[in-house]
Amino acid sequence: MENDYAFGAKQDENGNSSEYDGQASSGSFASNSAGPVGTVREESMVVAGNGNETVPYDLQLMTEPYGVPCMVEIFHFLCSLLNAVEHVGMDPRSNTLAFDEDVPLFALGLINSAIELGGPSFRHHPRLLSLIQDELFRNLMQFGLSMSPLILSMVCCIVLNLYHHLRTELKLQLEAFFSCVILRLAQGKYGASYQQQEVAMEALVDFCRQKTFMVEMYANLDCDITCRSVFEDLANLLSKSAFPVNCPLSAMHILALDGLIAVIEGMAERIGNGSVSSEKAPVILEEYLPFWMVKCDNYADPVHWVPFVRRRKYIKRRLMIGADHFNRDPKKGLEFLQGTHLLPDKLDPQSVACFFRYTSGLDKNLVGDFLGNHDEFCVQVLHEFAGTFDFQDMNLDTALRLFLETFRLPGESQKIQRVLEAFSERYYEQSPQILANKDAALLLSYSLIMLNTDQHNVQVKKKMTEEDFIKNNRHINGGSDLPREFLSELYHSICKNEIRTTPEQGFGYPEMTPSRWIDLMHKSKKTAPFIIADSRAYLDHDMFAIMSGPTIAAISVVFDHAEHEDVYQTCIDGFLAVAKISACHHLEDVLDDLVVSLCKFTSLLNPSSVEEPVLAFGDDAKARMATITVFTITNRYGDYIRTGWRNILDCILRLHKLGLLPARVASDAADESELSADPGHGKPITNSLSSAHLQSIGTPRRSSGLMGRFSQLLSLDTEEPRSQPTEQQLAAHQRTLQTIQKCHIDSIFTESKFLQAESLLQLARALIWAAGRPQKGSSSPEDEDTAVFCLELLIAITLNNRDRIVLLWQGVYEHIANIVQSTVMPCALVEKAVFGLLRICQRLLPYKENLADELLRSLQLVLKLDARVADAYCEQITQEVSRLVKANATHIRSQMGWRTITSLLSITARHPEASLADAARQFAESRVGQAERSVRALDLMAGSVDCLARWTHEAKDAMGEDDAGKMFQDIGDLWLRLVQGLRKVCLDQREDVRNHALLSLQKCLTGVDDIHISHGLWLQCFDLVIFTMLDDLLEIAQGHQKDYRNMEGTLILATKLLSKVFLQLLHELSQLLHSANCGSARGVLMQRSALGGDSLWELTWLHVNNIAPSLQSEVFPDQDPELKHGETGNAVSGETVSVPSNETTTSEGAGAGS
């Protein structure tokens, strides 16, 4: 079995001298010429793939028949089947490989089955694992560039299985596969066919569907300064591949979109698994630490590796920024890195050398010039730079290739000399097997450079032969010759594969050359362990920040070009996933970009060139899906929307203009409770969209709204016959209604109390912006309607967020102030502004005592209204102020607040019908606060008589007879309402308030000499005020109610009031009764009779006798008691009226009494 097992001793019999055979000996088990026992002993301790720990190998396994040796033999045989094409030449700029695909497909199929069955068990057998890491993967890299889609597909399938089971052992191999195969093919460069692109893209999408694939690529490769940013490259590839550029949407575009959305949805799924920290501590390098020596304490514990990889990624980004600075100015680039603590304040050669070695994107010409410089520091950097390479067991030409790939070899001979001296010193230090000293390495390196120029420069006509090369290198190895086979191998290697002294610049995807593979195998033994990611969102914030912009753009373009609903739905799923991730990671800018992009697809923001936009919207599935998505995102993730509110409001305004919004979009919960609890106080101020909505639908404008359109279609107007709506139109109408219903637009505003503060503030600002700045003069009805609607929404969110009024108040107040100060004529906008402000104050005063003065001060805006506007709304203003006072009297505690309230009530002076008396009465009746406040209100009511007298005097002087008469009548009506209000307060339970009300009523009844009070008003006053009050007071006194104290004193005051009014009005009363006897007041007395049947005289003495029975006999001692009741005339019968016959006596009594 030992002879059978020694399969590796004769690989050179293949006879090919390719670079893989001649130079990859250190990385291939095929070149092991040791005997089987020696081989087993060497691998009794084998280094695992990550090079960090040794794995003991059971020698017994290698000696058992049909055991591991058999497995190794079979697996090696399958890998050897893939070596059959190594003799095929390949242009470095081409992906073309031509061969018979049957044998490779057979081998690849068996290998794939073996890996699927063996799975993670391979890592327990170092010999098998080593075959996979080196020979198998090397061949897979080659076959990955196959022109055969079947072979490429099988290769990708094997790599996917290897990723599943052995990714911890294949970190750099996976990086190489994606960089040199998938990314090269999928982007369609280097001559890749469409079939190759498609297979590569399908494979990439399969990888993206693995939940942790992208996270692990990011953590292990993107965050490693020595590796490519594979995650970023793959994400960009998917985004770009999804873009249909000047072509219709193809299967490739959809495929790339699927991969992109798979990555995004994977992130969205991880959100619910914990570890989503939106406020990640920023990485700060406070002091210099060699960036190439940053290590992690525990690569298996997220507590350690998450901050570690974030730190490494920060360093990598800073190094790339430093590289950009360096490419423009090397000195400034190094200074920048010193400022970010990536280089020490005093530069040392090692740190600069590592910057050159591990930073991608550097200008290799500048690096070469720096390294070749004769300055002592530059020479030190050069030697340190050479020291970063691992040339262990490498052929000289392989080492030289790797060294010269990292910079451009300078053209000056002295610089070349210094560079090759540093290289030779390092090479001899690590691989001294054949060379006698470093000088031999230097001379041979020079010779290789010259041979390379000779063989690959077209200007050299006579090429150097193998014999010439061997001859030129005689006696350079310490005075002796190097082995002829060794030199011959070097000669053929250089001839077949040029050493590129001008390496490729930038971030392209390189081909995998043999020398690079050998270097990869060396690095794989030293690279950091592979980090296994779990299902938690440790790095998703950083990853999503990288790919969000291209992702949104790609999904949007596909959505725009798509024509099938299944593609629409795929895009919508992607949009929702992006929104979820953006919100949960607090990436507000990303969410705003998404909202802006989506709003464009709603078709609501487009100028309405369609004749029937509502029906067009119903027929456009894309627009409807986009609209639902916009408002779904708004309702779910509104907390994190900032500038996107403007676009959302644009859509809402468009729906409003089309008449498609629900009737109460701007409602707030408190409105309904408020109106239902107090329906009787004045005219309710509408603050919902119902009225505006109905008006907009009812107007005959062509674009008034959905229902208006269909009512026109269904109308049977004979003058303009209309056709019946078609089934398609009815279906479109129904779809439109269902779409708007699914949007739940009203929830945005009714639930605004749950929005985060910053989002709420941005929503309010967006509403103010959408309303536009009010301008003096006339504006179009459409603009005014928009402004009113936005103001309604603004007031609604203000009322819904009373606990956060401080946040909104300044903006709301300034907006209302602009409206009030710029309006010169009554209109819906200023009406909404004024009464909205009053409602805000009314609703918020009980909850924000610290803002009470500021809220009340804001009401001074109402005093700044233009006179025409104030005249139009003064009655409603007074009613609203009355309601405010009634509900919040206890919260108005400052002199300024009361001054503002009284100033507002004075607006009544402009309009006789306004209810100043009602407002003051409500003040007086309010049981909230001290009685002193009610007393002040009563004084205000009593003092208003002087205002009525002044108005009467002014009317008499300024108006004509007819106008003055009408004015006197209005003033009389106001006086009657005033005394009626005082009558109600006379029944107050508080004694001091009740008694003060009686005194105030007495003043109002007796101080009317300058006011023209008609006889009819006096009759109404006695009937509705004086006598009713006396009846009510008597009823209270006789009922002995506990809440009323000292009613006797109140009755005495009432009696005095009655007597003083009688005495002052005796002359008028006598004239009234005389005229009634003569028939001139027949109508009044008939009406009085109809009401009560008793004469004024009888009623008066009836009430007086109830209070003071002896008063009548004292005043009229000579009157017959029976006449006191019987002869005064009972009722009006027909046209006959009985009156008392003692008119003269009454006059005398009145004179005596006075």
Side-chain angles (χ1 to χ4, degrees):
M1 189 187 77
E2 289 183 359
N3 293 331
D4 292 337
Y5 185 56
F7 56 84
K10 306 213 176 175
Q11 181 157 3
D12 289 339
E13 291 177 3
N14 287 338
N16 50 50
S17 57
S18 72
E19 192 173 342
Y20 273 126
D21 291 330
Q23 294 145 24
S25 60
S26 64
S28 172
F29 290 98
S31 62
N32 265 330
S33 58
V37 177
T39 301
V40 173
R41 287 175 181 171
E42 286 177 12
E43 292 196 4
S44 60
M45 294 292 284
V46 180
V47 179
N50 56 27
N52 289 336
E53 53 182 298
T54 57
V55 180
Y57 202 79
D58 189 356
L59 296 181
Q60 183 67 26
L61 289 176
M62 297 302 296
T63 59
E64 292 181 356
Y66 308 109
V68 174
C70 183
M71 294 164 53
V72 172
E73 181 83 21
I74 294 172
F75 204 81
H76 183 272
F77 170 72
L78 294 175
C79 293
S80 69
L81 292 178
L82 301 178
N83 293 332
V85 296
E86 288 190 353
H87 65 281
V88 179
M90 188 177 103
D91 186 341
R93 291 288 180 177
S94 170
N95 292 321
T96 304
L97 286 176
F99 48 83
D100 182 11
E101 62 182 26
D102 291 340
V103 173
L105 276 176
F106 170 75
L108 290 170
L110 291 177
I111 289 172
N112 189 46
S113 299
I115 292 172
E116 285 182 346
L117 293 172
S121 301
F122 279 101
R123 67 165 55 97
H124 303 304
H125 303 288
R127 185 84 179 187
L128 288 170
L129 180 61
S130 192
L131 277 172
I132 293 172
Q133 289 173 324
D134 189 358
E135 186 173 0
L136 174 62
F137 232 106
R138 173 163 53 87
N139 289 326
L140 291 176
M141 294 287 291
Q142 270 201 318
F143 277 94
L145 301 178
S146 166
M147 289 296 293
S148 168
L150 289 175
I151 290 180
L152 177 56
S153 179
M154 185 58 71
V155 167
C156 294
C157 185
I158 292 174
V159 175
L160 181 59
N161 281 321
L162 288 173
Y163 167 78
H164 267 301
H165 302 304
L166 298 172
R167 60 184 180 274
T168 57
E169 317 298 332
L170 299 171
K171 174 180 173 179
L172 298 186
Q173 287 86 342
L174 289 169
E175 177 200 5
F177 180 76
F178 285 106
S179 298
C180 302
V181 177
I182 296 295
L183 289 166
R184 278 174 70 94
L185 294 179
Q187 66 178 349
K189 293 184 178 180
Y190 309 114
S193 66
Y194 182 81
Q195 287 78 12
Q196 285 177 299
Q197 292 181 53
E198 193 169 28
V199 173
M201 186 60 69
E202 287 176 352
L204 178 55
V205 173
D206 287 338
F207 275 98
C208 291
R209 291 191 175 116
Q210 314 308 311
K211 300 302 183 185
T212 62
F213 169 72
M214 280 297 204
V215 186
E216 290 174 347
M217 291 298 102
Y218 180 78
N220 290 286
L221 303 179
D222 289 57
C223 297
D224 190 333
I225 61 173
T226 64
C227 299
R228 291 186 64 91
S229 297
V230 171
F231 160 76
E232 201 163 339
D233 291 341
L234 293 177
N236 288 333
L237 172 66
L238 290 170
S239 301
K240 292 177 181 178
S241 300
F243 267 84
V245 181
N246 300 324
C247 62
L249 209 59
S250 68
M252 182 72 78
H253 299 130
I254 303 301
L255 196 58
L257 179 71
D258 288 341
L260 201 58
I261 292 180
V263 177
I264 294 298
E265 288 182 338
M267 291 184 183
E269 289 176 13
R270 286 193 290 271
I271 286 173
N273 299 329
S275 299
V276 177
S277 176
S278 59
E279 299 296 331
K280 293 182 181 295
V283 178
I284 299 176
L285 301 180
E286 297 180 350
E287 58 182 12
Y288 168 70
L289 181 68
F291 59 84
W292 61 95
M293 298 178 64
V294 176
K295 302 294 182 184
C296 179
D297 296 333
N298 188 345
Y299 285 90
D301 186 358
V303 174
H304 292 88
W305 68 255
V306 171
F308 165 69
V309 298
R310 293 187 69 241
R311 182 183 180 87
R312 277 201 312 186
K313 185 60 178 177
Y314 173 84
I315 291 173
K316 190 173 183 178
R317 284 201 185 103
R318 288 291 171 177
L319 286 174
M320 294 180 70
I321 296 173
D324 188 53
H325 285 289
F326 181 87
N327 293 342
R328 292 196 294 266
D329 186 332
K331 183 179 180 181
K332 290 185 178 179
L334 296 178
E335 289 175 352
F336 169 81
L337 292 171
Q338 287 176 295
T340 56
H341 302 295
L342 289 174
L343 293 179
D345 294 336
K346 182 179 180 181
L347 290 176
D348 65 81
Q350 185 184 25
S351 61
V352 177
C354 289
F355 168 63
F356 290 156
R357 180 73 170 94
Y358 301 120
T359 304
S360 58
L362 283 171
D363 187 328
K364 295 182 178 180
N365 293 320
L366 292 176
V367 176
D369 290 339
F370 191 99
L371 295 176
N373 197 297
H374 62 83
D375 181 79
E376 181 181 355
F377 180 76
C378 294
V379 173
Q380 293 175 351
V381 171
L382 173 61
H383 284 272
E384 290 289 346
F385 181 79
T388 62
F389 287 85
D390 180 11
F391 298 140
Q392 189 75 35
D393 298 326
M394 281 189 190
N395 278 0
L396 180 65
D397 68 316
T398 301
L400 191 58
R401 291 175 196 275
L402 292 174
F403 186 67
L404 296 180
E405 278 184 356
T406 56
F407 61 93
R408 184 182 185 276
L409 188 65
E412 299 177 24
S413 59
Q414 292 181 347
K415 290 185 176 181
I416 295 174
Q417 167 96 19
R418 282 189 286 273
V419 169
L420 292 181
E421 282 179 356
F423 165 75
S424 303
E425 184 177 333
R426 177 62 175 172
Y427 181 78
Y428 178 74
E429 180 184 322
Q430 292 192 304
S431 299
Q433 291 89 344
I434 297 177
L435 300 174
N437 51 47
K438 64 180 180 180
D439 291 335
L442 175 61
L443 292 173
L444 189 55
S445 300
Y446 251 118
S447 182
L448 291 177
I449 295 296
M450 293 173 64
L451 173 64
N452 187 72
T453 304
D454 177 87
Q455 292 293 317
H456 300 285
N457 191 328
V458 294
Q459 296 180 356
V460 178
K461 303 301 182 183
K462 186 179 179 180
K463 303 296 183 182
M464 186 184 302
T465 64
E466 182 177 346
E467 289 299 325
D468 292 337
F469 177 72
I470 294 173
K471 183 178 179 180
N472 290 340
N473 289 288
R474 287 178 181 172
H475 310 301
I476 66 170
N477 192 26
S480 60
D481 292 340
L482 289 164
R484 183 181 180 89
E485 296 78 9
F486 176 71
L487 292 175
S488 177
E489 187 177 337
L490 290 176
Y491 175 82
H492 289 289
S493 175
I494 298 298
C495 290
K496 290 183 178 180
N497 296 287
E498 177 187 3
I499 297 177
R500 294 176 188 166
T501 56
T502 307
E504 297 177 358
Q505 297 278 6
F507 300 89
Y509 305 117
E511 58 176 325
M512 178 51 69
T513 62
S515 58
R516 287 173 180 165
W517 183 260
I518 294 170
D519 184 48
L520 182 147
M521 295 307 299
H522 278 72
K523 288 180 179 177
S524 66
K525 298 175 183 178
K526 301 178 181 179
T527 188
F530 191 95
I531 295 171
I532 297 291
D534 56 24
S535 59
R536 283 174 283 186
Y538 295 118
L539 301 173
D540 285 354
H541 177 279
D542 300 339
M543 294 168 59
F544 185 71
I546 292 172
M547 67 180 299
S548 58
T551 299
I552 293 174
I555 300 176
S556 299
V557 172
V558 174
F559 190 64
D560 189 27
H561 285 72
E563 297 178 355
H564 302 287
E565 289 204 15
D566 55 341
V567 182
Y568 295 163
Q569 191 58 53
T570 301
C571 294
I572 294 299
D573 293 341
F575 285 134
L576 292 174
V578 168
K580 181 178 180 180
I581 300 166
S582 303
C584 291
H585 291 291
H586 293 201
L587 297 169
E588 291 87 358
D589 292 343
V590 177
L591 191 57
D592 286 335
D593 291 342
L594 175 63
V595 168
V596 170
S597 182
L598 266 174
C599 285
K600 296 176 183 177
F601 297 114
T602 62
S603 76
L604 298 174
L605 304 185
N606 304 333
S608 182
S609 59
V610 186
E611 184 178 354
E612 293 289 346
V614 176
L615 297 181
F617 181 77
D619 289 329
D620 190 343
K622 183 186 298 183
R624 287 184 282 109
M625 292 177 76
T627 303
I628 293 173
T629 306
V630 166
F631 290 109
T632 299
I633 291 172
T634 305
N635 278 298
R636 288 182 187 175
Y637 311 117
D639 278 341
Y640 308 101
I641 297 175
R642 299 293 182 262
T643 58
W645 281 119
R646 291 190 175 189
N647 299 79
I648 294 168
L649 285 175
D650 284 341
C651 293
I652 293 175
L653 289 174
R654 179 65 175 155
L655 292 172
H656 170 66
K657 291 173 183 176
L658 294 175
L660 296 176
L661 288 183
R664 290 186 59 81
V665 170
S667 67
D668 59 287
D671 282 342
E672 299 171 2
S673 61
E674 176 185 302
L675 293 176
S676 61
D678 191 11
H681 285 284
K683 174 184 175 181
I685 305 300
T686 59
N687 188 39
S688 72
L689 294 186
S690 54
S691 59
H693 182 66
L694 291 174
Q695 290 170 7
S696 68
I697 290 177
T699 54
R701 293 182 300 164
R702 183 171 182 80
S703 60
S704 62
L706 186 66
M707 299 307 296
R709 291 169 178 274
F710 276 89
S711 65
Q712 290 174 9
L713 288 172
L714 296 171
S715 67
L716 298 177
D717 189 353
T718 57
E719 295 180 2
E720 188 179 354
R722 305 291 180 90
S723 60
Q724 292 292 329
T726 64
E727 291 185 5
Q728 290 81 0
Q729 290 175 321
L730 291 173
H733 162 227
Q734 187 63 28
R735 287 192 295 269
T736 298
L737 293 181
Q738 290 173 353
T739 298
I740 302 305
Q741 187 177 9
K742 291 177 182 177
C743 289
H744 302 291
I745 297 174
D746 53 334
S747 299
I748 298 172
F749 304 99
T750 57
E751 302 300 317
S752 62
K753 53 180 166 289
F754 301 114
L755 285 177
Q756 289 186 2
E758 181 61 26
S759 179
L760 178 65
L761 184 60
Q762 292 294 337
L763 172 57
R765 290 173 178 171
L767 282 168
I768 294 170
W769 170 82
R773 187 171 182 83
Q775 298 178 352
K776 291 190 177 182
S778 60
S779 59
S780 68
E782 186 173 332
D783 291 340
E784 183 179 355
D785 181 55
T786 298
V788 170
F789 178 63
C790 290
L791 182 58
E792 287 176 337
L793 296 178
L794 186 63
I795 293 171
I797 65 170
T798 303
L799 295 175
N800 272 325
N801 290 274
R802 63 191 182 197
D803 294 332
R804 298 185 288 181
I805 185 62
V806 177
L807 185 70
L808 300 173
W809 178 245
Q810 187 64 32
V812 174
Y813 172 78
E814 290 177 359
H815 182 56
I816 293 178
N818 287 333
I819 295 173
V820 169
Q821 294 170 5
S822 63
T823 305
V824 295
M825 293 295 292
C827 62
L829 180 59
V830 72
E831 180 180 3
K832 179 62 64 178
V834 170
F835 296 115
L837 180 63
L838 285 166
R839 289 184 63 252
I840 289 173
C841 293
Q842 180 180 335
R843 292 271 300 283
L844 297 184
L845 276 174
Y847 301 99
K848 292 294 176 183
E849 294 185 2
N850 57 328
L851 286 178
D853 286 348
E854 188 170 347
L855 290 171
L856 291 168
R857 190 180 295 112
S858 70
L859 294 178
Q860 294 176 3
L861 284 176
V862 182
L863 302 176
K864 299 178 183 179
L865 284 170
D866 185 272
R868 288 166 290 187
V869 179
D871 284 344
Y873 304 120
C874 63
E875 182 176 3
Q876 297 175 23
I877 291 172
T878 305
Q879 291 176 356
E880 286 301 306
V881 174
S882 301
R883 296 175 67 183
L884 185 150
V885 171
K886 179 180 179 182
N888 301 291
T890 184
H891 304 291
I892 306 174
R893 299 177 178 177
S894 67
Q895 185 177 1
M896 182 279 302
W898 284 112
R899 188 182 302 116
T900 302
I901 293 296
T902 53
S903 299
L904 285 173
L905 293 173
S906 70
I907 290 182
T908 311
R910 291 200 180 109
H911 220 281
E913 287 87 3
S915 181
L916 170 63
D918 287 343
R921 176 183 59 77
Q922 290 172 3
F923 265 115
E925 287 181 337
S926 175
R927 298 296 302 274
V928 184
Q930 301 296 325
E932 183 182 355
R933 181 174 299 158
S934 299
V935 171
R936 289 181 185 175
L938 291 169
D939 291 339
L940 176 65
M941 296 176 73
S944 63
V945 173
D946 298 333
C947 294
L948 296 176
R950 186 169 65 252
W951 295 345
T952 303
H953 179 71
E954 292 174 354
K956 187 186 301 181
D957 295 341
M959 297 181 180
E961 185 174 348
D962 293 338
D963 293 338
K966 185 177 184 306
M967 185 66 177
F968 295 157
Q969 182 179 354
D970 292 338
I971 291 174
D973 291 340
L974 282 175
W975 172 80
L976 181 61
R977 292 171 66 177
L978 173 66
V979 295
Q980 283 178 314
L982 285 170
R983 178 196 67 79
K984 295 180 181 179
V985 187
C986 291
L987 307 178
D988 197 276
Q989 294 178 353
R990 296 167 292 179
E991 179 185 357
D992 48 354
V993 175
R994 184 172 66 239
N995 292 343
H996 198 81
L998 280 167
L999 294 175
S1000 299
L1001 178 60
Q1002 178 177 315
K1003 178 181 177 182
C1004 290
L1005 291 173
T1006 57
V1008 291
D1009 295 339
D1010 296 328
I1011 303 176
H1012 293 269
I1013 305 296
S1014 66
H1015 294 162
L1017 281 177
W1018 274 119
L1019 284 174
Q1020 292 184 53
C1021 176
F1022 273 99
D1023 185 29
L1024 301 176
V1025 178
I1026 299 175
F1027 296 148
T1028 304
M1029 177 198 67
L1030 291 171
D1031 287 340
D1032 292 340
L1033 287 175
L1034 279 173
E1035 183 179 349
I1036 293 170
Q1038 293 170 359
H1040 302 290
Q1041 297 186 25
K1042 296 181 180 179
D1043 295 334
Y1044 289 85
R1045 297 181 179 179
N1046 196 14
M1047 284 300 297
E1048 293 80 2
T1050 301
L1051 290 174
I1052 292 173
L1053 289 175
T1055 304
K1056 290 181 179 180
L1057 179 148
L1058 182 63
S1059 61
K1060 287 192 175 184
V1061 171
F1062 258 151
L1063 291 174
Q1064 181 165 336
L1065 299 178
L1066 194 56
H1067 181 67
E1068 285 80 357
L1069 290 174
S1070 64
Q1071 289 181 349
L1072 173 63
L1073 294 176
H1074 177 71
S1075 60
N1077 190 33
C1078 298
S1080 61
R1082 181 185 306 168
V1084 175
L1085 293 181
M1086 286 178 66
Q1087 184 180 9
R1088 180 70 193 93
S1089 173
L1091 292 173
D1094 295 327
S1095 67
L1096 182 61
W1097 182 261
E1098 252 186 2
L1099 284 174
T1100 301
W1101 283 114
L1102 179 63
H1103 288 291
V1104 170
N1105 290 331
N1106 286 333
I1107 299 171
S1110 60
L1111 180 62
Q1112 188 174 14
S1113 59
E1114 293 176 1
V1115 175
F1116 304 108
D1118 299 332
Q1119 181 71 37
D1120 187 352
E1122 293 181 0
L1123 292 177
K1124 294 171 189 173
H1125 300 288
E1127 294 182 4
T1128 54
N1130 316 355
V1132 179
S1133 175
E1135 296 184 0
T1136 305
V1137 181
S1138 297
V1139 295
S1141 58
N1142 49 2
E1143 182 178 349
T1144 305
T1145 309
T1146 306
S1147 301
E1148 293 174 355
S1154 60

